[in-house]
Amino acid sequence: MSAQENYVGVGGWTAYHELTPKDHAVFKEALEGFVGVQYTPETVATQVVAGTNYRYHAKAQQPGSPAIWAAIVEIYAPLKGKPHITQIIRI
C-alpha cells in the first residue's frame, strides 16, 4: 500500500498496516516496564490528533503459558513526552 493510499487525513484512522521502525519504537517505549502479559505487535493503525493515537493488533501471552490470544493495544503518543497505554482490549 502506498503512503497516499494509506492517508486518511487529520482525525481519521489509517488502515492497519505493517509497523514502521517508529511504530515499533513507540510500542516498545509505551510498554517499557509492563509486566504480566507479553504483547507482540503485528499491525498498526494510526490517527493524528494533538499527538498520535496508535491501535496495535498484537499477539498476547502470559509468560510460561502456551495460550496465545489476540489483543488491541491502544497507545497515545503526545507531541512532547512519553507515549503511554490508554487501553488494552482482548479480542
Side-chain angles (χ1 to χ4, degrees), residues 9 21 33-35 37 40 50 52 56 68 73 84-85 89:
F34 189 83
V35 295
V37 177
T40 305
T52 305
Y56 293 89
I68 297 173
V73 179
H84 57 275
I85 299 167
I89 303 165

Side-chain angles (χ1 to χ4, degrees), residues 3 6 12 20 22 24 28-29 35-36 38-39 42 47 49 56 58 61-62 64-65 73 78 81 85-86 91:
N6 202 27
T20 66
K22 180 180 178 182
H24 278 287
K28 183 178 177 183
E29 186 175 1
V35 295
Q38 295 173 336
Y39 293 96
E42 297 183 314
Q47 178 188 41
V49 289
Y56 293 89
Q61 183 174 21
Q62 287 184 310
S65 171
V73 179
I85 299 167
T86 56
I91 54 174

Side-chain angles (χ1 to χ4, degrees), residues 1-18 23 43-48 52-56:
M1 179 179 294
S2 73
Q4 185 175 3
E5 291 171 327
N6 202 27
Y7 180 75
V8 176
V10 175
W13 285 92
T14 65
Y16 278 94
H17 57 277
E18 292 184 23
D23 297 331
T43 58
V44 64
T46 59
Q47 178 188 41
V48 176
T52 305
N53 288 317
Y54 291 84
R55 212 177 258 163
Y56 293 89

